[in-house]
Amino acid sequence: GDSVTQMEGPVTLSEEAFLTINCTYTATGYPSLFWYVQYPGEGLQLLLKATKADDKGSNKGFEATYRKETTSFHLEKGSVQVSDSAVYFCAPKAAGNKLTFGGGTRVLVKP
Amino acid sequence: DTGVSQDPRHKITKRGQNVTFRCDPISEHNRLYWYRQTLGQGPEFLTYFQNEAQLEKSRLLSDRFSAERPKGSFSTLEIQRTEQGDSAMYLCASSLVQGGNEKLFFGSGTQLSVL
């Protein structure tokens, strides 16, 4: 079945630092790729997505590029804010219509 | 658009009791998903509906678990004879599939504690 490996947290950063969260996946076929975010006390929400190779998803200053050759979808942000403190989940969506989530990476941004 | 609603927000029960959770999706969304999330882990897929039809069930969904979506709107998830291992956050998500595009909207979840 589909699986996701993402870097374990917590990741602790200072404000304005550069953030990278690695994600690699295995999936049948040609999946769409998603990053979801869970802010403290809130439900999961879609952060960005990419549906084909070399596509770049972006939102709120975050970016991730669909790398088919390395089966990766690493999340990056050039300058994080305290409000980016959250848990981030990588999730491919392949055959069967369901999202398969990684274990999540907790990010804590300190002022 | 009031978002996906889940009820109750918290449920504490004793081992062996039955519990039922409700999910109200966003109006006119044709797909509805149930996921389970334990502390420090990502959500795990349980089952999903296309309108009223249950199209897929995970192997995680033992025979003690049953889900329904009788009129293609709200859904219920029942757990019979609860066990301590059932303690988790149960998440519901809905989506409107159009032209192959799909965006899931998640509810805030029902936190189940089995004592």
Side-chain angles (χ1 to χ4, degrees), chain A residues 9 15 21 36 47 51 54 62 65 73 77 89-90 93-94 104:
Chain A
E15 217 168 12
I21 303 176
Y36 276 78
L47 179 60
T51 57
D54 300 324
F62 289 89
T65 301
F73 193 52
K77 185 172 184 179
F89 296 92
C90 181
K93 184 171 179 290

Side-chain angles (χ1 to χ4, degrees), chain A residues 14-26:
Chain A
S14 297
E15 217 168 12
E16 300 183 1
F18 184 85
L19 170 67
T20 299
I21 303 176
N22 290 338
C23 170
T24 57
Y25 65 90
T26 59

Side-chain angles (χ1 to χ4, degrees), chain B residues 2-114:
Chain B
T2 58
V4 178
S5 291
Q6 292 189 245
D7 183 67
R9 291 293 303 272
H10 304 274
K11 178 70 177 177
I12 300 174
T13 190
K14 293 182 179 179
R15 189 175 48 187
Q17 297 295 303
N18 299 344
V19 295
T20 300
F21 311 140
R22 177 180 170 121
C23 172
D24 286 274
I26 294 172
S27 178
E28 298 181 358
H29 275 193
N30 50 10
R31 279 203 185 150
L32 187 148
Y33 296 79
W34 285 100
Y35 281 81
R36 181 172 68 186
Q37 185 177 18
T38 52
L39 196 62
Q41 302 296 316
E44 297 173 297
F45 170 78
L46 294 179
T47 188
Y48 90 96
F49 295 83
Q50 174 88 14
N51 299 312
E52 66 275 9
Q54 188 173 18
L55 295 188
E56 186 176 349
K57 294 193 293 185
S58 164
R59 288 171 295 174
L60 293 174
L61 215 64
S62 76
D63 57 3
R64 296 185 298 105
F65 288 70
S66 62
E68 296 182 342
R69 194 183 184 200
K71 297 181 181 178
S73 56
F74 74 92
S75 175
T76 57
L77 177 68
E78 181 183 16
I79 309 174
Q80 296 182 326
R81 305 181 304 281
T82 52
E83 302 173 356
Q84 288 184 326
D86 297 331
S87 296
M89 176 75 82
Y90 290 84
L91 298 171
C92 176
S94 71
S95 68
L96 177 64
V97 179
Q98 285 181 320
N101 291 317
E102 182 180 18
K103 179 180 177 181
L104 269 66
F105 292 82
F106 281 83
S108 296
T110 294
Q111 181 67 53
L112 174 66
S113 297
V114 182

Side-chain angles (χ1 to χ4, degrees), chain A residues 24-84:
Chain A
T24 57
Y25 65 90
T26 59
T28 52
Y30 203 151
S32 296
L33 302 175
F34 299 80
W35 276 98
Y36 276 78
V37 59
Q38 193 167 32
Y39 297 105
E42 299 185 16
L44 279 164
Q45 53 187 276
L46 177 65
L47 179 60
L48 54 83
K49 70 176 185 180
T51 57
K52 60 183 187 294
D54 300 324
D55 263 5
K56 179 183 285 187
S58 62
N59 186 27
K60 299 183 179 180
F62 289 89
E63 293 183 340
T65 301
Y66 192 141
R67 300 292 186 197
K68 189 172 188 292
E69 64 278 8
T70 56
T71 62
S72 64
F73 193 52
H74 305 321
L75 183 68
E76 297 181 337
K77 185 172 184 179
S79 177
V80 294
Q81 306 299 313
V82 172
S83 57
D84 294 323

Side-chain angles (χ1 to χ4, degrees), chain A residues 1-23:
Chain A
D2 301 349
S3 67
V4 181
T5 302
Q6 60 180 105
M7 58 189 292
E8 291 189 18
V11 175
T12 303
L13 303 164
S14 297
E15 217 168 12
E16 300 183 1
F18 184 85
L19 170 67
T20 299
I21 303 176
N22 290 338
C23 170

